[in-house]
Amino acid sequence: MTEFAPVDPTSTDAWSQLAGIAEGFSPDLREWFATDPGRAGRYTLQAGDLTVDLSKNLLTEEILAHLVQLAKDVDVSGRFNAMITGEHINVTEDRAVLHTALRRPKNGADLVPPTGFVVDGADVDADVHATLDKVYAFADKVRSGAWTGITGKAIKTVVNIGIGGSDLGPVMVYEALKPYVQAGLECRFVSNIDPTDVYEKTANLDPETTLFIVASKTFGTLETLTNARLAREWLWNQLLASGAIEDTDAARAAAVAKHFVAVSTALDKVAAFGIDPENAFGFWDWVGGRFSIDSAIGTSVVVAIGPDNWREFLSGFHTIDEHMRTAPLEQNVPVLMGLLNVWYSNFLKAQSHAVLPYAQYLHRFPAYLQQLTMESNGKSVRWDGTSVTTDTGEIFWGEPGTNGQHAFYQLIHQGTRLVPADFIAVANPAHPLKDETGDGAAVEPGQDVHGLFMANFFAQTKALAFGKTAAEVRAEGTDESVVPARSFSGNRPTTSILAPALTPSVVGQLIALYEHIVFTEGTIWGIDSFDQWGVELGKQLALQVAPAVDGDADALAAQDSSTKALISKYLELRN
Ligand code: F6P
């Protein structure tokens, strides 16, 4: 067990003070802004390239002081320090938690801990950079065409096969950094064990120019290994059909050697699959799956965007790691955003948190964050095995704006539930298109479309914060019968995050920001944010149920009556 026994946050004076404020709390953002011209300036902070405006949150100086005191009481800074120096803060798996080490610069001066620090007998920096160098050399070979398929053709499509952290990170970052992808290269991502996924992703692919990356930390995940076998079968069948290889075991093995590489911590299992360990990139059990995009798990993206952009991506993470480590708590963006989440979920009873990127390239960011936040903090016991003392793990969800505006924003604006939301945007778009014709009314000819997009970004947080009173609605001449339906209460909290552009560094900064928000909340609640035992039971039962689904009568008879009836219906319907 870690020497950092969890402090029960509910036993602190700060908690009692916050609970007292929450009772009968009636925030008034209109009034707070009207009477305090310094509010926006005071609550707008900088972390790396991210300008973060917290002022439209339901926050006062008094609340802020108690939240910061709460972070001190549970020692967020001390535990962060324990994490980055390699203490086994993942207690249920008895592991260090060192994703921050994945992005430390090579031989960086003034690093904390210093370059060459040793954890569990290994020089962490040396290991990380040796693997990075191997991934970079491989990526360069694929990008230059020096790595060829079995018939000597250069690779055009990289298919990453993985699930959870071995998929969501790579696909999200690939999508986010599309403008940086080398022309002529494409990545696809297979994750679901639904055979449709591998079928669709291999459709129209030329096997001679396709490279599969099997990405699995454990190399034991049912979905990934099944999909890898399906992909291998597809490769062999296609190459045999075109006469590119002969029907021999040696030819099949040679095809795998040229068209399959792996990323895993289990290199023995990689070899058993038939992939040469020379063509495998390792990482370590101190990298959690959902914290692994900046490890070799990102190899598909390194190939796509190249080592220089990847270095920039890693430096973005490191910038936020340093901010988290050094900024005073009162100005520490991830800590404050984590504390605000605690304020909303534990005291104001919010059950969910929306993340709304106003950047189409970030369209997979909410899905990525769902694993990061909910697999980490969806826990009911603390790291010493005792029950949690308060609610944990709010539900994270979202979609890119403006699509969400025409779907679920109605509930955020006028529903009965409190939904705190993060709005994320960049000032400079990758494609600065203009609407040359306009609409002859609201949209002028030559309108910068990104400007129009950003007007929505700014308008939404304004509407949510300040609402529209019944008097204002009436003053527009609205029929009295619909005044209530057309009024907006306001006081719906948002955080606005604005970056200069969606560069590799900014994407790294955004990911690290949310990693440390998760850390802050987990530390307040006293939970181990780095294990994921909750996914195990379903995995075990799927294997137990599989024979029944395949028609084994004894296995079917052993099921509960609901499951038995469902499987029987399935068997009846299945042709
Ligand atoms: O089942 C959950 C999980 O263990 C995630 O934490 C992980 O990201 C995912 O499965 C994939 O695991 P692996 O990389 O070992 O295949």
Side-chain angles (χ1 to χ4, degrees):
M1 289 287 156
T2 169
E3 62 182 276
F4 289 90
V7 172
D8 176 357
T10 67
S11 71
T12 63
D13 181 56
W15 192 277
S16 309
Q17 298 290 344
L18 289 164
I21 295 171
E23 220 169 289
F25 184 54
S26 74
D28 191 345
L29 283 168
R30 276 192 184 218
E31 176 70 10
W32 293 349
F33 273 90
T35 56
D36 177 6
R39 181 176 175 91
R42 204 170 54 253
Y43 292 144
T44 297
L45 302 169
Q46 196 69 29
D49 292 324
L50 310 178
T51 301
V52 181
D53 178 2
L54 302 174
S55 67
K56 294 195 186 85
N57 280 285
L58 306 183
L59 184 65
T60 62
E61 285 297 290
E62 190 189 8
I63 295 166
L64 178 66
H66 293 311
L67 287 172
V68 167
Q69 186 56 48
L70 182 61
K72 288 182 182 158
D73 291 344
V74 302
D75 197 13
V76 169
S77 307
R79 189 157 182 266
F80 188 74
N81 203 44
M83 180 176 88
I84 65 173
T85 52
E87 274 193 43
H88 285 205
I89 69 163
N90 177 354
V91 288
T92 71
E93 296 181 300
D94 192 15
R95 288 177 182 168
V97 177
L98 277 170
H99 45 277
T100 48
L102 297 167
R103 50 264 194 155
R104 283 156 53 93
K106 206 177 207 170
N107 303 319
D110 305 325
L111 286 175
V112 175
T115 298
F117 75 113
V118 171
V119 173
D120 302 331
D123 178 333
V124 174
D125 291 314
D127 285 354
V128 165
H129 285 282
T131 302
L132 269 177
D133 289 344
K134 191 173 166 188
V135 170
Y136 291 159
F138 167 73
D140 280 337
K141 268 201 228 164
V142 176
R143 290 164 65 80
S144 68
W147 179 290
T148 60
I150 188 86
T151 57
K153 291 188 183 165
I155 299 301
K156 289 188 181 150
T157 310
V158 174
V159 181
N160 186 80
I161 303 176
I163 197 164
S166 302
D167 167 72
L168 287 162
V171 71
M172 183 276 282
V173 175
Y174 176 73
E175 291 294 321
L177 296 177
K178 270 260 170 76
Y180 295 84
V181 173
Q182 177 170 295
L185 270 178
E186 181 207 5
C187 290
R188 298 186 186 185
F189 299 86
V190 173
S191 53
N192 202 332
I193 197 170
D194 180 341
T196 308
D197 202 9
V198 79
Y199 176 87
E200 285 292 339
K201 302 287 171 47
T202 52
N204 311 322
L205 273 190
D206 176 357
E208 295 178 43
T209 59
T210 299
L211 176 76
F212 292 96
I213 300 181
V214 186
S216 175
K217 178 176 171 181
T218 54
F219 225 76
T221 303
L222 180 70
E223 290 89 339
T224 299
L225 291 196
T226 305
N227 280 327
R229 285 191 297 273
L230 291 176
R232 190 175 56 181
E233 208 61 44
W234 172 87
L235 178 80
W236 285 335
N237 289 339
Q238 298 281 318
L239 292 174
L240 283 168
S242 67
I245 60 166
E246 310 222 314
D247 192 2
T248 64
D249 287 350
R252 283 186 165 83
V256 169
K258 287 292 197 178
H259 293 271
F260 273 81
V261 300
V263 180
S264 186
T265 57
L267 297 182
D268 49 335
K269 293 186 186 164
V270 169
F273 183 86
I275 297 174
D276 184 346
E278 269 305 299
N279 297 334
F281 308 99
F283 60 116
W284 309 272
D285 69 5
W286 44 255
V287 186
R290 53 196 175 275
F291 296 90
S292 66
I293 174 56
D294 45 348
S295 73
I297 285 291
T299 298
S300 54
V301 188
V302 187
V303 171
I305 68 171
D308 287 345
N309 285 318
W310 191 258
R311 281 187 199 96
E312 207 206 299
F313 174 64
L314 297 183
S315 79
F317 281 88
H318 184 64
T319 300
I320 299 299
D321 295 343
E322 283 299 280
H323 171 88
M324 174 76 183
R325 187 178 70 78
T326 59
L329 294 182
E330 293 77 4
Q331 281 151 35
N332 193 307
V333 175
V335 169
L336 292 178
M337 288 181 72
L339 288 169
L340 280 167
N341 291 353
V342 166
W343 169 235
Y344 295 130
S345 45
N346 292 129
F347 297 94
L348 304 186
K349 302 301 170 204
Q351 296 199 328
S352 79
H353 190 103
V355 180
L356 309 166
Y358 278 64
Q360 183 60 26
Y361 283 128
L362 286 176
H363 70 109
R364 293 294 289 164
F365 195 51
Y368 172 80
L369 289 185
Q370 285 184 334
Q371 187 198 17
L372 178 64
T373 58
M374 297 199 276
E375 197 166 78
S376 297
N377 284 343
K379 313 277 166 69
S380 301
V381 290
R382 298 191 291 168
W383 67 66
D384 64 351
T386 59
S387 293
V388 295
T389 55
T390 184
D391 279 334
T392 63
E394 67 273 42
I395 298 153
F396 277 77
W397 59 287
E399 275 287 318
T402 58
N403 298 9
Q405 290 175 208
H406 296 272
F408 52 78
Y409 278 34
Q410 164 67 38
L411 183 147
I412 306 182
H413 280 285
Q414 286 189 316
T416 57
R417 293 171 196 279
L418 177 69
V419 184
D422 299 343
F423 282 68
I424 304 170
V426 299
N428 295 289
H431 310 292
L433 304 183
K434 289 202 187 316
D435 180 353
E436 296 299 354
T437 38
D439 66 358
V443 183
E444 293 287 329
Q447 166 74 46
D448 168 29
V449 180
H450 188 68
L452 210 49
F453 184 37
M454 289 300 291
N456 278 275
F457 170 83
F458 296 120
Q460 287 296 324
T461 58
K462 201 171 152 78
L464 288 163
F466 307 121
K468 191 170 182 179
T469 64
E472 286 166 342
V473 177
R474 254 180 227 118
E476 291 173 342
T478 308
D479 191 285
E480 193 57 34
S481 64
V482 289
V483 166
R486 299 186 65 163
S487 303
F488 292 73
S489 66
N491 295 314
R492 296 177 183 247
T494 61
T495 293
S496 298
I497 301 173
L498 188 58
L502 204 57
T503 60
S505 171
V506 163
V507 174
Q509 291 176 44
L510 284 170
I511 300 172
L513 169 65
Y514 281 89
E515 286 177 348
H516 301 329
I517 291 170
V518 163
F519 176 87
T520 301
E521 294 189 67
T523 303
I524 302 276
W525 293 323
I527 59 183
D528 180 346
S529 302
F530 306 101
D531 63 11
Q532 58 283 317
W533 297 106
V535 297
E536 291 306 319
L537 180 59
K539 285 187 196 172
Q540 278 167 17
L541 291 185
L543 292 176
Q544 207 183 85
V545 166
V549 177
D550 258 355
D552 178 322
D554 291 341
L556 186 61
Q559 305 301 322
D560 65 87
S561 59
S562 165
T563 309
K564 196 189 313 176
L566 283 167
I567 295 173
S568 302
K569 188 69 190 174
Y570 159 77
L571 291 171
E572 183 193 317
L573 292 172
R574 178 77 194 256
N575 296 324

